[in-house]
Every structure is written in C-alpha cells, then in structure tokens.
Amino acid sequence: MIDDHAFNHINATITDPIDNNSWILTCLYGSPYRKLKLKSWNIIKQMAGNVDKPWLVIGDLNVVLHEEEKKSRFAFKKNEAKFFNNLINKCNLIDLGFTGYTYTWNNNRQEDDNIEQRLDRALVNGKWNRKYPNSSIKHLGPLASDHVPIKLNMHNNWDDGPTPFKFFGEWLKHADCKKLIQDSWNINVKGSSAHKVNIKLSTVKHTLKLWNRKNIGNINRNIQNIKKQLIQINSTINCTNKTNDIARLRTELAKWYAIKNFFGRIRVGTRT
C-alpha cells in the first residue's frame, strides 16, 4: 500500500505473506545535483524518528560511501561520503552490502573518461535486520540502462542468497589488511554498545570483501594479464626501462602464483 510519495521518494507499507506482519519500504532517488542532494536525502532523516516497524530504504542514492566503490580518474568525494555515513549512523541504519560486481553505474565513456560507481544500495534499521537476518542485495547483469538492476533477497531459503563471509589468516600478511581492519573499526558510530559493535563488524566485513575482490579475487585473471604484459614488453625492441619492467612483472607474477597456491590448499583442506 502506497503511504505517500514525492519527486524523490515513494513510501509504502508491505505485508509479509509468511507472517502477515507489515514493514516499511522507502524507494529513494538521490538527486545527482550537488545543491539538491541534501534535500533529496532529508527524507531518511525525517522518517527515522517516526518509523516503528522494520524499515528498508532502497534505490539510487547517488552517493559513493567508500573509496573502493568508485573507479575513476576523478577524486573520491570524502566530505560527501562522510556526511552521508554520519546521516545513516545517526538514523541507526545499516548498509545491507551486496554480492556480484561492485559497481552499479557506468557512464559508458571510453578509457580515462570512463567512470564506474556503486550508487545503488539498500539501508535497513535494526528491526529489519532482526526480522530478515539473511536478507541481501545482489547486483544483476547490465541492461540497456547505465545502471545495473539490484535484487533484494529477503528469505534464507532463496537460492541466490549471499555467499558466507570467510576470513583467511593469510590476508594479515598483506601490508594493507591490518590497517583496513583498524580504520574500519575506528569509525565514529553513535548509539547503543550493541549497535556500535554491529555497525563496526558490518563495516569491517564490507571493507574486507571489497579489498579481497579488488586485490585477492580474480587471481587467474591477474596472472593472465601479467603474462600478456610480459609478452608485449618482450616483443618490443625499443622500450625504456625494459629490464626493470620485466623484473617487476615477474615479481608480481610470483606473488599471484603464491596466492593461487595458498587458496588452492584452503579448498583442498575444506573438502577433506
């Protein structure tokens, strides 16, 4: 049932057919224009103090919350991200995260002009998180639009639910990992102790999953890319710093083979 609507949002009450209890759905479109962004996000702040049911906010919020959610030659907007993160923390909302490809929007331009960002997401309050603890967002494949569709999975018996998060001790050998965990845990969160721990754990999990996907994931692809670069450099007659480049790439290749062997041992150990 539609409760109210305006240019940037639709609020509706949804009845769950399983238990016949209702929850609140807010479909939100964040303005892409700087002067109007705060106004379009204000619906979250206005509703937060009045919603007493499980609450889901979903849509194109037109904000990048973490640097790993943007791939572009243009700088990450730290102040904008800080403002929105503070907003959802004050409203006691949690980002549901996602499975699939990181970015939900692509400007479809070429080379250095190409921009990819995660602009579409879902935020939930504590009551939603307790009612649907296994809910998740899945990024689907690209269509004709510059956005990819995102799919909400609410129940744990859905086949395409989230992949369980696994932490590998080998990650701690990477120079960046400990700092990522520390920085994620040290975020400023307001609310009860339980809420603070919940948000911090979710942030650490989200950060590590993005870092893993970017740096550890796609191992075979990284290996093949380095091999291609080695072939290209070796076939070039006049190449500045050819020797140094080959040495650097061989070191990178050895690193990725070591990572591949490590994760291969984990899979073997899991099966046994």
Side-chain angles (χ1 to χ4, degrees), residues 79-93:
N79 290 337
E80 185 174 283
K82 182 178 180 181
F83 177 89
F84 196 85
N85 274 307
N86 287 337
L87 172 66
I88 61 178
N89 285 338
K90 288 178 182 178
C91 296
N92 293 325
L93 294 174

Side-chain angles (χ1 to χ4, degrees), residues 224-235:
Q224 292 305 315
N225 285 339
I226 293 172
K227 285 182 176 179
K228 287 180 181 179
Q229 291 180 59
L230 280 169
I231 292 172
Q232 290 174 351
I233 291 176
N234 277 321
S235 62

Side-chain angles (χ1 to χ4, degrees), residues 75-134:
F76 169 63
K77 297 179 181 178
K78 294 182 179 180
N79 290 337
E80 185 174 283
K82 182 178 180 181
F83 177 89
F84 196 85
N85 274 307
N86 287 337
L87 172 66
I88 61 178
N89 285 338
K90 288 178 182 178
C91 296
N92 293 325
L93 294 174
I94 303 166
D95 189 326
L96 272 186
F98 65 93
T99 59
Y101 188 62
T102 301
Y103 312 108
T104 65
W105 178 78
N106 189 321
N107 69 350
N108 294 320
R109 296 181 182 177
Q110 299 299 315
E111 299 179 353
D112 289 345
D113 291 327
N114 182 250
I115 300 174
E116 290 186 281
Q117 300 180 123
R118 183 190 174 210
L119 301 180
D120 306 79
R121 66 186 71 240
L123 310 171
V124 299
N125 65 359
K127 289 187 177 182
W128 171 283
N129 212 31
R130 289 188 291 273
K131 183 175 177 59
Y132 303 109
N134 294 319

Side-chain angles (χ1 to χ4, degrees), residues 6 16 18 28 55 73 107 121 135 149 164 190 194 215 220 226-228 271:
D16 190 327
I18 294 178
L28 183 65
W55 181 29
R73 62 187 174 90
N107 69 350
R121 66 186 71 240
S135 59
K190 295 183 179 180
N215 295 283
N220 289 329
I226 293 172
K227 285 182 176 179
K228 287 180 181 179
R271 286 197 295 270

Side-chain angles (χ1 to χ4, degrees), residues 97-266:
F98 65 93
T99 59
Y101 188 62
T102 301
Y103 312 108
T104 65
W105 178 78
N106 189 321
N107 69 350
N108 294 320
R109 296 181 182 177
Q110 299 299 315
E111 299 179 353
D112 289 345
D113 291 327
N114 182 250
I115 300 174
E116 290 186 281
Q117 300 180 123
R118 183 190 174 210
L119 301 180
D120 306 79
R121 66 186 71 240
L123 310 171
V124 299
N125 65 359
K127 289 187 177 182
W128 171 283
N129 212 31
R130 289 188 291 273
K131 183 175 177 59
Y132 303 109
N134 294 319
S135 59
S136 67
I137 292 293
K138 184 175 183 179
H139 294 174
L140 304 181
L143 299 175
S145 170
D146 53 359
H147 285 262
V148 301
I150 64 174
K151 180 180 180 181
L152 170 68
N153 295 341
M154 293 170 55
H155 300 288
N156 58 11
N157 60 340
W158 288 29
D159 292 337
D160 54 355
T163 302
F165 175 72
K166 295 181 181 180
F167 179 85
F168 297 105
E170 191 75 4
W171 287 353
L172 293 174
K173 296 180 181 180
H174 194 287
D176 297 333
C177 186
K178 290 183 179 180
K179 186 176 187 306
L180 283 172
I181 294 173
Q182 185 178 35
D183 290 346
S184 299
W185 188 262
N186 288 338
I187 61 171
N188 185 23
V189 181
K190 295 183 179 180
S192 66
S193 297
H195 174 71
K196 289 180 181 179
V197 171
N198 189 24
I199 293 294
K200 287 173 182 280
L201 287 174
S202 295
T203 303
V204 170
K205 173 183 173 181
H206 174 75
T207 302
L208 286 177
K209 287 179 74 173
L210 288 175
W211 173 79
N212 175 54
R213 188 179 293 113
K214 180 179 178 181
N215 295 283
I216 307 299
N218 299 314
I219 296 172
N220 289 329
R221 187 182 69 180
N222 290 330
I223 289 174
Q224 292 305 315
N225 285 339
I226 293 172
K227 285 182 176 179
K228 287 180 181 179
Q229 291 180 59
L230 280 169
I231 292 172
Q232 290 174 351
I233 291 176
N234 277 321
S235 62
T236 303
I237 297 175
N238 297 318
C239 179
T240 307
N241 297 323
K242 183 174 181 177
T243 303
N244 291 337
D245 288 341
I246 290 175
R248 174 180 56 80
L249 288 171
R250 285 177 175 170
T251 300
E252 280 290 303
L253 190 61
K255 181 193 76 172
W256 284 110
Y257 270 123
I259 292 172
K260 182 176 182 179
N261 290 335
F262 172 76
F263 278 89
R265 290 196 299 273
I266 288 178

